[in-house]
């Protein structure tokens, strides 16, 4: 039987266009060790791990006439050097120059005729640092059969990449005739899917997306009203702006200890305070009841495995939860309390995965969890939320790619067609790192918003009840 894309994975391909590429990105910054960390060493490291990620050497092949969803096939012309590329900034490259490069890279759609991922080894950063910028399509990472490449190349123990012999042999690509025969055979067994496949391909998968959204759990059982209107919801352009925020985990913990809630609640409260100031700076009129609705994908236990398995990424799912962020509330402590109440249902469900559980996953699990978050968000109508915010805890000990120590990691979440901002958050080794991906026209001042997140955190730290 063909390895056919699921309805959800196919929908990501159908809704994608040049202005709204769906890939999830990551910006990892490393200290280059005395022994060096070269492009050739990165190639060896990635090449050795691809045996564990067969999907990374497969491409999507459409079925003639859209008689069935596309299939995964081995890329007989797979070229590792095409997917792992070398880039450089003029030395000494600044962080601002790196993030300008990231914005340009993220605005470019992945080549649909090749495996849907890319990595860029960026040299020339100040202080002898190097960066690894990754782009992975959410159809590639399902968290069960395939995880993110970043989860496999990062380890807790430094070790030089070992030479490897690539013994992979691609399977022959199916002929057009075989694709049609397989599709007809499946259509006989499930006749309703034939019409659905043709309609989804022709109408940007609205029907398909609506159907698969029913499986996501977090918002499926709730009839939701449209999200509030505002500057976050415009038709996006093809350009991007990228900004980052660096904070310390201890600051969020101190606010939690003082005012209650969880670290995730405090992170959302800091973002809420920043959005409030950002909206006011744009002349938006806010009332005490004004809100911005965030889609917050969160990891949950798979009910079938939870009772006998330690919380882990494989076998877990990510559910999408809608949270109305109280941007109209001027008091930072009340904002935090409102958010805490909004998250209570998720915490009381007994399905949430604690941060300590996620930290037991080998490698750098946040890379995979952010991809799963994009899958959850991309399957829902953008009319019911204003922006997506993903937050995934990472290890609190140093991790390495080869012998190069990871210093910082910033997620880059994709933009939906009518959403000008997406925020990804990752904690790692005492830091909490925000990646803000904004539309170049509608969110040109995303760097200003980043500074406001820092100010909102300081406001929470100094607040008294």
């Amino acid at each position: 039987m063909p390895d056919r894309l699921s309805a959800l994975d196919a929908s990501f391909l159908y809704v994608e266009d040049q202005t709204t590429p769906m890939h999830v990105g990551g910006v990892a910054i490393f200290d280059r060790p005395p022994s060096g960390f070269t492009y050739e060493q990165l190639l060896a490291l990635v090449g050795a791990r691809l045996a564990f990620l067969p999907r990374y050497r497969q491409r999507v092949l459409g079925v003639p006439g859209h008689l069935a969803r596309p299939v995964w096939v081995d890329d007989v012309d797979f070229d590792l050097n095409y997917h792992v590329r070398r880039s450089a900034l003029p030395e000494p490259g600044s962080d601002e120059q790196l993030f300008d490069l990231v914005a340009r890279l993220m605005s470019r759609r992945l080549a649909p005729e090749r495996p849907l991922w890319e990595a860029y080894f960026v040299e020339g950063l100040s202080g002898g640092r190097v960066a690894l910028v990754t782009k992975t399509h959410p159809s590639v990472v399902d968290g069960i059969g395939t995880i993110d490449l970043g989860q496999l190349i990062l380890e807790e123990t430094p070790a030089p990449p070992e030479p490897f012999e690539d013994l992979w042999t691609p399977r022959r690509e199916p002929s057009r005739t075989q694709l049609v025969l397989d599709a007809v055979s499946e259509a006989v067994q499930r006749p309703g899917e034939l019409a659905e496949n043709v309609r989804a391909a022709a109408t940007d998968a609205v029907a398909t997306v609506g159907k698969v959204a029913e499986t996501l759990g977090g918002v499926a059982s709730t009839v939701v009203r449209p999200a509030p209107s505002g500057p976050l919801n415009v038709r996006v352009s093809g350009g991007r702006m990228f900004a980052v925020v660096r904070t310390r985990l201890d600051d969020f913990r101190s606010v939690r200890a003082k005012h209650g809630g969880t670290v995730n609640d405090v992170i959302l409260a800091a973002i809420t305070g920043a959005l409030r100031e950002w909206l006011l700076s744009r002349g938006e009129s806010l009332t005490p009841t004004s809100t911005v609705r965030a889609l917050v994908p969160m990891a949950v236990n798979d009910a079938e495995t939870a009772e006998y398995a330690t919380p882990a990424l494989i076998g877990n799912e990510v559910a999408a939860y809608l949270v109305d962020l109280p941007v109209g509330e001027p008091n930072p402590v009340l904002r935090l309390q409102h958010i805490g109440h909004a998250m209570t249902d998720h915490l009381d469900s007994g399905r949430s995965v604690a941060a300590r559980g996620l930290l037991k996953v080998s490698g750098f699990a946040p890379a995979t969890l952010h991809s799963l978050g994009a899958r959850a968000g991309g399957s829902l109508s953008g009319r019911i939320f204003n922006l997506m915010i993903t937050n995934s805890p990472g290890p609190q000990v140093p991790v390495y790619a080869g012998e190069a120590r990871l210093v910082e990691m910033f997620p880059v979440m994709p933009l939906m067609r009518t959403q000008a901002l997406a925020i990804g958050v990752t904690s790692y080794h005492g830091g909490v790192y925000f990646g803000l991906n904004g539309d170049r026209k509608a969110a040109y001042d995303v760097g200003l918003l980043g500074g406001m997140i820092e100010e909102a955190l300081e406001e929470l730290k100094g607040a008294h009840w």
Side-chain angles (χ1 to χ4, degrees):
M1 294 296 293
D3 187 3
R4 198 170 304 285
L5 273 71
S6 69
L8 178 59
D9 291 337
S11 73
F12 293 139
L13 298 175
Y14 295 150
V15 302
E16 188 175 44
D17 58 29
Q18 294 299 331
T19 61
T20 53
M22 290 292 293
H23 52 256
V24 178
V27 184
I29 300 178
F30 297 89
D31 276 338
R32 185 172 254 159
S35 58
F37 184 46
T38 66
Y39 170 72
E40 290 72 22
Q41 288 176 315
L42 177 64
L43 275 178
L45 183 61
V46 173
R49 304 301 168 88
L50 285 185
F52 302 99
L53 297 171
R55 188 71 83 217
Y56 279 66
R57 286 192 279 208
Q58 294 181 321
R59 67 184 187 91
V60 174
L61 183 62
V63 176
H66 301 295
L67 297 176
R69 294 188 299 273
V71 297
W72 293 105
V73 298
D74 288 350
D75 183 5
V76 296
D77 298 316
F78 180 78
D79 181 1
L80 183 59
N81 292 82
Y82 172 86
H83 292 276
V84 183
R85 306 179 183 186
R86 190 172 191 174
S87 184
L89 300 173
E91 294 191 56
S94 66
D95 287 356
E96 288 72 22
Q97 290 172 317
L98 172 64
F99 300 142
D100 284 343
L101 173 63
V102 169
R104 291 196 299 273
L105 294 176
M106 293 301 158
S107 68
R108 301 172 189 167
R109 185 180 179 185
L110 291 165
E113 69 276 7
R114 293 179 178 270
L116 297 172
W117 67 280
E118 293 173 359
Y120 294 80
F121 184 72
V122 184
E123 300 174 277
L125 279 169
S126 61
R129 300 169 299 157
V130 296
L132 180 63
V133 181
T134 59
K135 297 165 56 176
T136 309
H137 200 275
S139 62
V140 174
V141 179
D142 60 14
I144 301 173
T146 305
I147 58 178
D148 190 272
L149 181 67
Q151 190 171 338
L152 279 184
I153 67 171
L154 294 170
E155 302 284 356
E156 292 187 5
T157 304
E162 297 181 1
F164 75 99
E165 183 179 1
D166 190 358
L167 301 177
W168 178 72
T169 302
R171 292 172 293 182
R172 187 174 61 182
E173 185 176 296
S175 66
R176 289 173 59 87
T177 300
Q178 186 62 50
L179 289 171
V180 171
L181 289 175
D182 288 337
V184 171
S185 175
E186 292 183 21
V188 170
Q189 300 175 48
R190 294 183 293 274
E193 285 199 11
L194 177 59
E196 182 179 318
N197 291 329
V198 175
R199 182 174 64 249
T203 60
D204 78 2
V206 171
T208 304
V209 169
K211 182 176 180 180
V212 298
E214 297 173 3
T215 68
L216 289 175
V219 299
S221 60
T222 304
V223 177
V224 293
R225 64 188 185 279
S229 60
L232 288 172
N233 297 105
V234 297
R235 181 77 182 196
V236 299
S237 67
R240 297 291 182 266
M241 298 288 289
F242 183 67
V244 307
V245 181
R246 300 172 171 92
T247 57
R248 302 305 301 169
L249 182 57
D250 284 345
D251 288 338
F252 292 94
R253 286 172 170 167
S254 67
V255 174
R256 178 192 62 184
K258 186 176 181 180
H259 298 295
T262 67
V263 168
N264 186 62
D265 294 343
V266 181
I267 288 173
L268 290 176
I271 293 173
T272 303
L275 287 171
R276 170 183 167 82
E277 294 304 315
W278 182 73
L279 290 169
L280 291 172
S281 75
R282 288 184 161 224
E284 293 292 314
S285 178
L286 298 179
T287 69
T289 59
S290 294
T291 61
V292 167
R293 186 175 297 155
L295 182 76
V296 185
M298 301 188 72
V300 297
N301 277 325
D302 182 339
E304 294 183 0
T305 62
E307 65 177 278
Y308 60 84
T310 301
L313 187 58
I314 304 301
N316 285 349
E317 58 178 309
V318 167
Y321 289 83
L322 294 175
V323 183
D324 286 331
L325 305 178
V327 294
E329 172 56 60
N331 187 303
V333 178
L334 286 178
R335 289 197 296 264
L336 174 59
Q337 290 186 345
H338 286 316
I339 291 168
H341 290 311
M343 300 304 294
T344 298
D345 288 344
H346 176 58
L347 295 176
D348 288 348
S349 70
R351 300 179 70 217
S352 62
V353 178
R356 61 181 178 274
L358 293 174
L359 298 184
K360 295 178 182 178
V361 181
S362 63
F364 197 78
T368 299
L369 289 169
H370 285 296
S371 290
L372 295 178
R375 289 172 64 87
S379 66
L380 299 174
S381 169
R383 293 189 298 272
I384 65 173
F385 61 100
N386 300 112
L387 80 161
M388 179 165 56
I389 303 172
T390 62
N391 175 26
S392 176
Q396 297 306 305
V397 296
V399 294
Y400 302 81
E403 294 180 296
R405 182 173 66 89
L406 177 67
V407 180
E408 299 171 325
M409 166 62 84
F410 303 99
V412 191
M413 302 305 295
L415 301 184
M416 306 301 147
R417 280 186 183 173
T418 58
Q419 291 166 341
L421 176 68
I423 300 176
V425 188
T426 290
S427 60
Y428 164 66
H429 197 211
V432 179
Y433 301 100
F434 296 70
L436 284 67
N437 188 25
D439 179 70
R440 195 168 193 87
K441 290 183 178 180
Y444 56 87
D445 53 353
V446 69
L448 178 65
L449 177 62
M452 291 173 174
I453 291 178
E454 297 181 58
E455 294 170 1
L457 176 58
E458 289 299 317
E459 184 182 30
L460 282 165
K461 288 168 58 181
H464 298 281
W465 183 239

